[in-house]
Amino acid sequence: MAILVNEESKVVVQGITGREGSFHTKLMLEYGTKIVAGVTPGKGGIKINGIPVYDTILEAKEEHQEINTSIIFVPARFASDAVFEAIKADLNPIVLITERIPVRDSMKFIGYAREKGIRIIGPNCPGVITPPKTKIGVLPAHVFKKGSIGMVSRSGTLTYEIAAAITNAGLGQSTCVGIGGDPIIGMDFVEVVKMFEEDEETDAIVVIGEIGGNLEEKLAEYIKETGQKKPIVAYIAGRTAPPGKRMGHAGAIISMGMGTAESKIKSLNEAGIPVAELPSQVAEIVKSKLEKLKK
Amino acid sequence: MAILVNEESKVVVQGITGREGSFHTKLMLEYGTKIVAGVTPGKGGIKINGIPVYDTILEAKEEHQEINTSIIFVPARFASDAVFEAIKADLNPIVLITERIPVRDSMKFIGYAREKGIRIIGPNCPGVITPPKTKIGVLPAHVFKKGSIGMVSRSGTLTYEIAAAITNAGLGQSTCVGIGGDPIIGMDFVEVVKMFEEDEETDAIVVIGEIGGNLEEKLAEYIKETGQKKPIVAYIAGRTAPPGKRMGHAGAIISMGMGTAESKIKSLNEAGIPVAELPSQVAEIVKSKLEKLKK
Amino acid sequence: MKLLEHESKEIFKREGIPCPKGFLAFSPLEVKKYVKKLNKPVVIKSQLPIASRMKAGGIKFAETAEEAEKVASELFKLKINKFKVSKVLVEEKVDIKKELYLSITIDRYERKYVYLASTQGGIDIENLAKMHPEKICKVHVDPQIEVKPFDLIYITNKLGLTGTEARQFREIAGLFYDLTVKYDCELVESNPLAINGKGNLIAVDARMIIDDNSLFRHPKLKKKLFEEELTSFELKAMESGFSFVELDGEIGVIANGAGLTMASMDSISLFGGKPANFLDIGGGATSERVKTAVNLQLKHPKVKGVLINIMGGITRCDEVARGLVEAVKETGIKKPITVRMMGTREEEGKEILRKNGISYLETMDEAAEEIVKLVKGIKIGNPCK
Amino acid sequence: MKLLEHESKEIFKREGIPCPKGFLAFSPLEVKKYVKKLNKPVVIKSQLPIASRMKAGGIKFAETAEEAEKVASELFKLKINKFKVSKVLVEEKVDIKKELYLSITIDRYERKYVYLASTQGGIDIENLAKMHPEKICKVHVDPQIEVKPFDLIYITNKLGLTGTEARQFREIAGLFYDLTVKYDCELVESNPLAINGKGNLIAVDARMIIDDNSLFRHPKLKKKLFEEELTSFELKAMESGFSFVELDGEIGVIANGAGLTMASMDSISLFGGKPANFLDIGGGATSERVKTAVNLQLKHPKVKGVLINIMGGITRCDEVARGLVEAVKETGIKKPITVRMMGTREEEGKEILRKNGISYLETMDEAAEEIVKLVKGIKIGNPCK
């Protein structure tokens, strides 16, 4: 089944007429993603790559009742409205590619969506791919191959890097989820890892983190409590990065020492999760874990 | 088990120091309701009927972690804040006795609570009683007796009337839920009837409606679709009432002919639900239904 | 609380919704003066708290000042649904190209605000809703999300509006929602919302209903009683905060709670009687309030007998008994009363009644049947039915 | 975007949060004049975008105008964390009875705003948080519910505040939230929020950080660059919207995406090199932007070689290749460059590089290792480490 998206995902592209929206609609269609409609207010009636465009999701759904998933390319200042439109139309999941969305907006629509049980992936994320069934995002298709590794990442391009290495190592991905790089995002590591743990097509999990926030530490906490149900391998970017701008005293009080590469690597190691030094090492470690599992 | 409230309900009374709050706290305690704390901002530290009072629910919960249910007697203009406080403290259900709450406030906190899966009973309701275990409300205890009739009502006093008749007929109640008389309320007939259908202690269901709105018609619709899993008997108040004030054309368009006693009685009858002409007849009809069931 | 058309339009204009130029007049002379100055064809609209004034003849047209004075004096003699016309709104007649309909109200079942919109507005909107529900566009508004541009675009698309008309419609619809929030409205309606000869939208009619429970937030909107239309008994009941309605029969009904009051009326009817009115004393009434209620019933000329039906919950039976006893003593009026009380402090209440020689019955049916019998018994002539 | 103390206080005062009386001065002479007029003891505070100025010596006290001039001239010579002092805030010295701490910031994991409050404010607040976390009261604010009175009552109760102090604290805390919403703040902080001798609360320090992504909603808050502190390269990168930071090494890093850029730096370090800087071109860069980025690296004196690491997603490899080729041609600067590109339009990009005689490597490790070797090879003297 993989997770979050599959061949049953019938997609509406919000912001389909924009530069990124139209370009990636084409790529997603080439991959086989079931895109059934696009939405851009004021552009209803035209077609983009053969896909009919509507002014609103509601109109799109009246014509295509099968729509259940949204991908959003709408510019930051209109993105919040676009997300609420998708929520109101009961689309789930909602893949939010847009970057530079004000954090207050993200808190509002993510809070609302979570209460309704609607999953938002992003914002500022590359999307989700379940090879070879569907790609709902901007991830470069050719680095992914059907396989049994569940990938989840806060980074975009770094994910492709590691996915390519995994693919080259003769493995492949069940699903790869880019949860996004913003401070406030819809899904966190724990939630996605839980889904992979439940997923029959996933044998091992790769987690790609980076400095800042405490999603990695919270994952480590969860694994410490419940144990590793499937092998997990991590990579943390930013070991040599300079310390980021700090949120005054409040930032220090809230983070309580979490957020640095050291803190993350230490927590993950304590939970029994190996952390690769180079992105290229992730594939090898996963491979050896899987082989141990077979024995 | 009955529904919604039972001996596991550990109650905080919001607005415990007011006239109604303190009076009914006493009556509920006499009934055996497990009231563990009261809340009135600015009155923290005192005791009412032996129950400790706090300024905020959070402080009450720090001292009494078992609190899981709220009953609210706070005046209308502060009631919305009180409900949000209970929601934020994850109390469920929340029994909202207060009347005359602006409908916009009700829409907001009820919408929010429903998204979170928190049940609000009311506003403008008499509460819930599961005899003889617990009473969370202002219902007069002595008209209720443990039994197998699930009661749900939009009316306050009329409920007591019919409950007394059921009790006098030698039956009794599994739970009696006063869902409240306001245009916007937290739980509707369909939701409560579903709970009674699932409840092992309930053998038959009594529904007490009144003119206005379409909760009765919606219940009839639901029963038409799913069939009566347990016998249901209804009473509708207002057969001879003059037509109420109408919401302009919009009211007529929205109600689509629903809302009158005739419409409600017709729909219910079509769903196979008998509607008593007098409140006093309800008990007899239920009794005969139950006897048929035994055969 | 219903606002009159001219009050609603005052608010509409303040919030930026275009309305026709107009003037509120209290006499035919004022109408004449205004129309003379305006020197244009006008519409003269009686200001009453009801819908469908057009069908009831409450709206007239005039071309000249003299004609305006004449039709206005007819309007000032008019009475619709027991409301007398005491003021009229004189407005420049709009060159209506098309009549739209737009409103926001509350959908109780969905627990949300809802927009209702149609391109076939006007006096037949309710019929249209029945015959062609698909011609009315409904869009719900979740108070957590509020109105977003996509809601309004959906409406104008469904209505087939384009260009300036669509833009103006969306702007007005947005303002309707702002009004709804700002004034705690249960209804904001314009029927028709017209498109005039120049292609601009204008609210030819305007209706607003404010949530009574929200009035503490709107101290500037003073509670309207439409006093001239109320009987002195209705006025008194309203001042006391009772829910009281005059009816055609002869039995006064006092009960606590809307459901029980309605059930009491239904019972009286079922036993062959007719309620003269109903009076819901609400929850937790003190003896003082009960006294006022009983007083009102005893003194009411149409009332031949009183049914008092109390189920104690928040309301305490002893308070009711005390109030009843005092009222009977004070007024000295001897009309048949049947009492039934049960619930909170029932025994204390019954004790008070016993001590004061007032009898009571145990059930609502008995009390209803008894009062019908008593009232019929004392009636002169044939009580019939 | 960090606001300086005096900017934050301007906003605080406008919104009704009490702050000490003060004056912004750009020279010791201005300081002297103001203190003379004020004729009271003052505190003189350097205006820098950093926390903990007190510990770094950026805050001084003075009793007289002459003393103020003297300490101010010391301050104007100061440089803290590469920031030069160019203006100071001169404020009436507050008679501090107690130092509280209050802030609102964002709790990323909870996805909510959070209040942090303590009665032990002052310079050691971070230590207190570490040693005695229980002395800091945390209350989350759901943006759907917003702040309610019970949240604030809970805080003042936890802090043990009563009477006027509690009331003033709640009022200020409420205003903090209003500020947070109105200005899209990531942080609103006052440390200390003091109780003065008269028992009144006053914000002795004030800090605000505005969400950069929200600046389109706040046209009046113009983007601050703290220009005097930036190198010309940093300025150029900022103007181009790149994420660029100067470091101590010799290899310029260009990559797309924060994660990949950091991983590229980590790799360089692992292979024994040192990044001179990092430049994240972001997503979907055009060839024009890539050209600017490469130009900047090639012209940078500290950069001895450049690693370009691109994983195409939104970014297209052909655009990157074109920008790179143009920059190399235009500048004519010959520094070693290792390129690695993969993903969207990879083949087209590689084709462009081949045609222009620029070689590329297949993996990030290879590219990182190669650039380290190349840079060390051309280094004069002992590259060490």
Side-chain angles (χ1 to χ4, degrees):
Chain A
M1 280 302 299
I3 69 165
L4 287 164
V5 301
N6 56 36
E7 65 273 35
E8 300 300 320
S9 303
K10 307 294 163 58
V11 183
V12 61
V13 179
Q14 293 181 256
I16 194 171
T17 57
R19 183 175 175 264
E20 299 304 332
S22 60
F23 177 67
H24 283 285
T25 295
K26 188 162 162 284
L27 293 187
M28 285 188 280
L29 285 169
E30 283 168 12
Y31 195 73
T33 304
K34 289 172 181 160
I35 297 176
V36 291
V39 166
T40 300
K43 296 281 173 71
I46 66 169
K47 287 201 171 196
I48 294 273
N49 299 308
I51 301 296
V53 178
Y54 299 86
D55 285 332
T56 63
I57 294 183
L58 218 50
E59 289 165 286
K61 269 193 94 173
E62 283 169 358
E63 296 299 318
H64 313 274
Q65 290 163 21
E66 69 272 27
I67 295 171
N68 55 20
T69 303
S70 169
I71 179 165
I72 300 179
F73 290 97
V74 169
R77 70 177 71 191
F78 307 111
S80 174
D81 283 356
V83 175
F84 277 116
E85 187 174 5
I87 294 173
K88 203 169 169 180
D90 272 326
L91 305 187
N92 189 4
I94 297 165
V95 177
L96 181 51
I97 305 297
T98 311
E99 56 178 6
R100 302 192 64 76
I101 296 177
V103 71
R104 176 163 168 74
D105 297 1
S106 295
M107 272 193 281
K108 273 203 160 180
F109 60 66
I110 287 173
Y112 187 75
R114 288 177 70 87
E115 284 154 18
K116 294 207 115 164
I118 289 177
R119 293 196 172 100
I120 292 180
I121 298 150
N124 189 14
C125 85
V128 191
I129 186 167
T130 294
K133 294 173 185 165
T134 195
K135 174 180 101 160
I136 302 174
V138 300
L139 314 95
H142 72 287
V143 304
F144 297 94
K145 203 184 72 179
K146 182 175 165 59
S148 68
I149 312 301
M151 291 183 64
V152 56
S153 172
R154 284 172 65 191
S155 165
T157 46
L158 183 54
T159 313
Y160 317 153
E161 182 74 39
I162 293 174
I166 287 173
T167 300
N168 286 339
L171 301 168
Q173 299 80 24
S174 54
T175 299
C176 175
V177 188
I179 57 174
D182 272 12
I184 303 292
I185 48 180
M187 293 194 78
D188 54 44
F189 283 142
V190 173
E191 290 167 320
V192 179
V193 165
K194 275 185 187 170
M195 294 181 83
F196 279 131
E197 285 176 341
E198 302 285 306
D199 174 41
E200 286 178 13
E201 292 189 6
T202 301
D203 293 333
I205 303 164
V206 167
V207 175
I208 303 164
E210 57 187 43
I211 51 171
N214 63 355
L215 296 190
E216 295 80 3
E217 286 90 339
K218 290 281 177 179
L219 174 65
E221 221 170 76
Y222 163 71
I223 295 295
K224 264 185 226 170
E225 274 168 27
T226 63
Q228 274 185 57
K229 294 178 190 131
K230 294 177 182 177
I232 304 180
V233 178
Y235 175 76
I236 304 294
R239 287 172 192 248
T240 58
K245 63 172 180 184
R246 289 171 57 201
M247 296 292 222
H249 300 295
I253 295 170
I254 274 290
S255 69
M256 295 296 283
M258 293 187 282
T260 62
E262 297 78 57
S263 154
K264 291 172 193 302
I265 293 167
K266 186 164 168 279
S267 312
L268 290 167
N269 284 339
E270 280 170 8
I273 300 172
V275 182
E277 285 200 313
L278 282 170
S280 57
Q281 297 165 347
V282 173
E284 305 162 30
I285 304 177
V286 173
K287 215 168 179 178
S288 74
K289 286 255 174 191
L290 282 178
E291 275 158 17
K292 260 189 213 155
L293 217 63
K294 280 182 198 156
K295 282 169 199 168
Chain B
M1 281 301 301
I3 69 165
L4 286 165
V5 303
N6 55 36
E7 65 272 35
E8 299 301 319
S9 303
K10 307 294 165 55
V11 183
V12 62
V13 179
Q14 293 181 255
I16 194 170
T17 57
R19 183 175 176 267
E20 300 304 332
S22 60
F23 177 68
H24 284 284
T25 295
K26 188 161 162 285
L27 293 187
M28 286 188 279
L29 285 169
E30 282 168 12
Y31 194 72
T33 303
K34 289 173 181 160
I35 297 176
V36 291
V39 165
T40 299
K43 296 281 172 71
I46 67 169
K47 288 201 173 196
I48 294 275
N49 299 307
I51 301 296
V53 178
Y54 298 86
D55 285 332
T56 62
I57 294 182
L58 217 50
E59 288 164 288
K61 269 193 93 174
E62 283 169 358
E63 296 300 317
H64 314 275
Q65 289 162 22
E66 68 272 28
I67 295 171
N68 55 20
T69 303
S70 169
I71 180 166
I72 300 179
F73 291 96
V74 169
R77 69 177 72 190
F78 307 110
S80 174
D81 283 355
V83 175
F84 277 116
E85 186 174 6
I87 294 174
K88 202 168 169 182
D90 271 326
L91 306 186
N92 188 5
I94 297 165
V95 178
L96 181 51
I97 305 298
T98 310
E99 57 178 5
R100 302 193 64 76
I101 296 178
V103 70
R104 177 164 169 73
D105 296 1
S106 295
M107 273 194 279
K108 274 202 160 179
F109 61 66
I110 288 173
Y112 186 75
R114 288 177 69 87
E115 284 155 19
K116 295 207 113 164
I118 290 176
R119 293 194 171 100
I120 292 179
I121 298 150
N124 188 15
C125 86
V128 190
I129 186 167
T130 293
K133 293 172 186 166
T134 194
K135 175 180 100 160
I136 302 174
V138 301
L139 314 95
H142 72 286
V143 304
F144 297 94
K145 202 184 72 181
K146 183 175 166 58
S148 68
I149 313 300
M151 292 183 64
V152 55
S153 172
R154 284 172 63 193
S155 166
T157 46
L158 183 55
T159 311
Y160 317 154
E161 182 74 38
I162 293 174
I166 286 173
T167 300
N168 287 338
L171 301 167
Q173 298 79 25
S174 53
T175 299
C176 175
V177 188
I179 57 174
D182 271 13
I184 302 290
I185 49 179
M187 292 193 79
D188 54 43
F189 283 143
V190 173
E191 290 166 320
V192 179
V193 165
K194 275 185 188 172
M195 294 181 84
F196 279 132
E197 285 175 342
E198 304 284 307
D199 175 42
E200 285 179 12
E201 292 189 6
T202 301
D203 293 333
I205 303 163
V206 167
V207 175
I208 303 164
E210 57 187 43
I211 52 171
N214 63 355
L215 296 191
E216 295 80 2
E217 287 91 339
K218 290 281 176 179
L219 174 65
E221 221 170 79
Y222 163 72
I223 295 296
K224 265 185 226 169
E225 273 167 30
T226 61
Q228 273 186 59
K229 292 178 192 135
K230 293 176 181 178
I232 305 179
V233 177
Y235 175 77
I236 304 294
R239 286 171 192 250
T240 58
K245 64 171 177 181
R246 290 172 56 202
M247 295 291 222
H249 300 294
I253 296 170
I254 273 290
S255 68
M256 294 296 283
M258 293 187 280
T260 63
E262 297 79 57
S263 153
K264 290 172 193 302
I265 293 168
K266 186 164 167 282
S267 313
L268 290 167
N269 284 339
E270 281 170 7
I273 300 172
V275 181
E277 285 199 313
L278 284 170
S280 57
Q281 296 165 348
V282 172
E284 306 162 30
I285 304 177
V286 173
K287 214 166 179 178
S288 74
K289 286 255 172 189
L290 282 178
E291 275 158 14
K292 260 188 214 157
L293 215 62
K294 280 182 197 156
K295 282 169 197 167
Chain C
M1 180 177 79
K2 289 179 185 173
L3 300 189
L4 293 173
E5 179 191 6
H6 73 93
E7 298 166 318
S8 302
K9 279 187 169 161
E10 210 173 278
I11 294 176
F12 271 36
K13 284 177 186 166
R14 198 155 62 220
E15 302 294 325
I17 299 168
C19 297
K21 202 173 161 185
F23 176 79
L24 187 68
F26 295 84
S27 71
L29 195 65
E30 278 186 308
V31 173
K32 185 184 174 188
K33 278 186 187 161
Y34 178 71
V35 178
K36 194 159 227 160
K37 211 176 97 196
L38 187 71
N39 197 24
K40 278 182 186 167
V42 293
V43 54
I44 306 172
K45 305 160 93 176
S46 54
Q47 297 299 291
L48 301 174
I50 55 162
S52 310
R53 283 166 304 163
M54 180 69 110
K55 281 187 178 169
I59 297 178
K60 303 274 182 194
F61 296 88
E63 298 289 322
T64 64
E66 287 66 30
E67 194 190 353
E69 185 183 20
K70 189 169 153 282
V71 300
S73 48
E74 286 162 25
L75 283 177
F76 276 107
K77 285 172 199 149
L78 217 60
K79 192 170 177 182
I80 307 178
N81 299 1
K82 73 174 196 163
F83 292 106
K84 282 174 295 178
V85 176
S86 65
K87 48 192 171 184
V88 300
L89 182 62
V90 190
E91 284 183 342
E92 198 176 317
K93 196 179 158 192
V94 174
D95 166 25
I96 297 178
K97 209 178 72 185
K98 195 175 176 88
E99 292 190 328
L100 311 177
Y101 173 86
L102 177 65
S103 68
I104 293 188
T105 186
I106 291 165
D107 187 331
R108 297 165 63 148
Y109 194 76
E110 294 289 332
R111 302 179 177 88
K112 285 173 183 160
Y113 292 113
V114 61
Y115 275 107
L116 301 172
S118 176
T119 44
Q120 301 188 24
I123 57 175
D124 281 326
I125 186 74
E126 288 182 31
N127 257 332
L128 181 78
K130 260 179 230 155
M131 307 302 286
H132 297 284
E134 78 285 356
K135 293 204 170 148
I136 300 201
C137 173
K138 283 187 200 178
V139 170
H140 285 97
V141 181
D142 186 328
Q144 309 277 113
I145 303 188
E146 315 238 44
V147 173
K148 300 280 177 189
F150 59 81
D151 293 314
L152 305 176
I153 293 170
Y154 178 82
I155 296 175
T156 48
N157 278 2
K158 282 285 140 182
L159 262 45
L161 297 176
T162 55
T164 324
E165 291 173 3
R167 219 177 44 244
Q168 289 187 12
F169 191 94
R170 286 196 292 263
E171 197 182 319
I172 292 171
L175 290 169
F176 266 39
Y177 183 74
D178 295 346
L179 273 183
T180 303
V181 171
K182 190 164 172 184
Y183 292 94
D184 277 294
C185 297
E186 292 178 343
L187 174 75
V188 179
E189 186 176 64
S190 180
N191 184 32
L193 174 62
I195 302 178
N196 70 14
K198 289 178 182 158
N200 290 319
L201 269 67
I202 184 161
V204 167
D205 195 10
R207 288 170 57 78
M208 288 173 67
I209 302 177
I210 312 289
D211 177 5
D212 287 337
N213 291 346
S214 77
L215 289 177
F216 68 84
R217 286 203 279 247
H218 309 289
K220 281 183 189 163
L221 295 174
K222 64 164 192 260
K223 178 100 178 144
K224 266 156 234 308
L225 298 179
F226 302 117
E227 293 162 19
E228 60 270 37
E229 315 309 334
L230 295 179
T231 67
S232 62
F233 291 94
E234 282 173 327
L235 251 181
K236 189 163 211 167
M238 202 171 266
E239 281 161 10
S240 306
F242 297 136
S243 174
F244 178 81
V245 176
E246 299 266 16
L247 299 167
D248 294 334
E250 65 246 328
I251 298 169
V253 177
I254 294 177
N256 60 326
L260 191 67
T261 309
M262 287 193 285
S264 305
M265 290 163 57
D266 294 351
S267 297
I268 288 172
S269 302
L270 223 73
F271 287 109
K274 271 190 150 187
N277 58 51
F278 67 79
L279 190 161
D280 174 5
I281 57 171
T286 57
S287 64
E288 197 54 42
R289 280 172 61 75
V290 174
K291 194 175 100 181
T292 308
V294 177
N295 254 328
L296 192 150
Q297 291 286 18
L298 290 175
K299 288 179 180 164
H300 198 295
K302 278 169 73 182
V303 169
K304 306 262 186 294
V306 183
L307 169 65
I308 300 177
N309 185 12
I310 301 296
M311 271 302 296
I314 283 195
T315 306
R316 309 180 197 176
C317 293
D318 56 344
E319 295 275 335
V320 173
R322 252 189 299 276
L324 168 56
V325 166
E326 281 172 35
V328 170
K329 277 185 188 161
E330 242 183 58
T331 59
I333 299 172
K334 296 212 187 304
K335 287 181 181 175
I337 299 176
T338 64
V339 183
R340 183 289 183 116
M341 54 171 59
M342 199 172 181
T344 312
R345 304 243 168 127
E346 176 181 332
E347 285 316 314
E348 292 88 332
K350 285 179 173 172
E351 177 64 25
I352 293 167
L353 293 183
R354 272 195 300 273
K355 274 187 187 157
N356 289 277
I358 298 175
S359 64
Y360 47 84
L361 292 152
E362 287 303 325
T363 71
M364 174 170 141
D365 292 1
E366 285 167 4
E369 201 174 356
E370 180 72 11
I371 193 67
V372 173
K373 276 188 196 156
L374 289 173
V375 167
K376 290 205 173 175
I378 63 161
K379 250 196 138 177
I380 293 156
N382 181 8
C384 69
K385 200 207 151 167
Chain D
M1 181 176 80
K2 289 179 184 173
L3 300 190
L4 293 173
E5 179 191 7
H6 72 93
E7 298 166 318
S8 302
K9 280 187 169 161
E10 210 173 277
I11 295 176
F12 271 36
K13 283 177 185 166
R14 198 155 62 220
E15 303 294 325
I17 300 169
C19 297
K21 202 173 162 185
F23 176 78
L24 186 67
F26 296 86
S27 71
L29 194 66
E30 278 185 309
V31 172
K32 184 184 174 188
K33 277 186 188 163
Y34 177 72
V35 178
K36 193 158 225 160
K37 211 176 100 196
L38 187 71
N39 197 23
K40 277 180 186 168
V42 293
V43 55
I44 306 171
K45 304 161 95 176
S46 54
Q47 297 300 290
L48 301 175
I50 55 161
S52 311
R53 284 165 303 162
M54 180 69 109
K55 281 187 177 169
I59 298 177
K60 304 273 184 194
F61 297 87
E63 298 289 320
T64 64
E66 287 65 32
E67 193 189 352
E69 184 183 21
K70 188 169 153 283
V71 300
S73 49
E74 285 162 27
L75 283 178
F76 277 107
K77 285 171 201 150
L78 216 60
K79 192 171 176 180
I80 308 178
N81 298 1
K82 70 175 198 161
F83 293 105
K84 282 174 293 178
V85 175
S86 65
K87 47 192 171 183
V88 299
L89 181 63
V90 189
E91 285 183 341
E92 198 175 315
K93 197 179 157 192
V94 174
D95 165 27
I96 297 178
K97 209 178 72 185
K98 195 175 175 86
E99 292 190 328
L100 311 177
Y101 173 86
L102 177 64
S103 67
I104 293 187
T105 187
I106 292 165
D107 187 331
R108 297 166 62 149
Y109 193 77
E110 294 289 331
R111 302 179 177 88
K112 285 172 184 162
Y113 292 112
V114 61
Y115 275 106
L116 301 172
S118 176
T119 43
Q120 301 188 24
I123 56 174
D124 281 325
I125 186 72
E126 289 181 30
N127 256 333
L128 181 77
K130 260 179 232 159
M131 307 303 287
H132 297 283
E134 78 284 356
K135 292 204 170 150
I136 300 202
C137 173
K138 283 187 200 179
V139 170
H140 285 97
V141 180
D142 185 330
Q144 310 277 113
I145 303 187
E146 315 237 43
V147 172
K148 301 277 177 192
F150 59 81
D151 293 314
L152 304 177
I153 293 170
Y154 179 81
I155 295 175
T156 48
N157 278 2
K158 282 286 140 183
L159 262 45
L161 297 176
T162 55
T164 325
E165 290 173 4
R167 220 178 43 245
Q168 289 187 10
F169 191 94
R170 286 196 292 264
E171 198 183 317
I172 291 172
L175 291 169
F176 266 40
Y177 183 73
D178 295 347
L179 273 185
T180 302
V181 171
K182 191 165 171 184
Y183 293 94
D184 277 292
C185 297
E186 292 179 342
L187 173 76
V188 179
E189 187 177 64
S190 179
N191 184 33
L193 173 62
I195 303 177
N196 70 15
K198 289 177 181 161
N200 291 318
L201 268 66
I202 183 161
V204 167
D205 194 9
R207 289 170 57 77
M208 289 173 66
I209 301 178
I210 312 289
D211 177 5
D212 287 337
N213 290 346
S214 77
L215 289 176
F216 69 85
R217 287 202 279 247
H218 309 289
K220 280 182 190 165
L221 294 175
K222 65 164 191 265
K223 178 98 176 146
K224 267 155 233 307
L225 298 180
F226 302 116
E227 292 162 20
E228 60 271 39
E229 316 310 335
L230 296 179
T231 67
S232 62
F233 291 94
E234 282 173 328
L235 251 181
K236 190 163 210 165
M238 204 170 264
E239 281 161 10
S240 307
F242 297 135
S243 174
F244 178 82
V245 176
E246 300 265 15
L247 298 167
D248 293 335
E250 63 248 328
I251 298 170
V253 178
I254 294 177
N256 60 326
L260 190 67
T261 309
M262 286 193 286
S264 305
M265 291 163 55
D266 293 351
S267 296
I268 288 171
S269 302
L270 223 72
F271 287 109
K274 272 190 150 186
N277 58 51
F278 68 79
L279 191 161
D280 173 6
I281 57 170
T286 57
S287 64
E288 198 53 44
R289 280 172 61 76
V290 174
K291 193 174 99 181
T292 308
V294 178
N295 254 329
L296 191 149
Q297 292 285 18
L298 289 176
K299 288 180 182 165
H300 198 295
K302 279 170 74 183
V303 169
K304 306 261 185 293
V306 183
L307 169 65
I308 300 177
N309 186 12
I310 300 298
M311 271 303 296
I314 283 193
T315 306
R316 309 180 198 176
C317 292
D318 55 344
E319 296 275 335
V320 173
R322 250 191 299 278
L324 168 56
V325 166
E326 281 173 36
V328 169
K329 276 186 189 161
E330 242 183 58
T331 59
I333 299 173
K334 296 211 187 308
K335 287 182 182 175
I337 298 176
T338 63
V339 183
R340 183 289 184 117
M341 54 171 58
M342 200 171 180
T344 311
R345 304 243 168 129
E346 177 180 330
E347 285 318 314
E348 291 89 332
K350 284 180 174 173
E351 177 64 25
I352 294 167
L353 293 184
R354 271 196 300 274
K355 272 189 189 158
N356 288 279
I358 297 175
S359 64
Y360 50 83
L361 291 153
E362 288 301 325
T363 71
M364 174 169 140
D365 292 0
E366 284 167 4
E369 201 175 356
E370 180 72 10
I371 194 66
V372 173
K373 276 188 198 160
L374 289 172
V375 167
K376 291 204 174 179
I378 62 158
K379 253 196 139 178
I380 294 156
N382 183 6
C384 69
K385 208 217 141 166

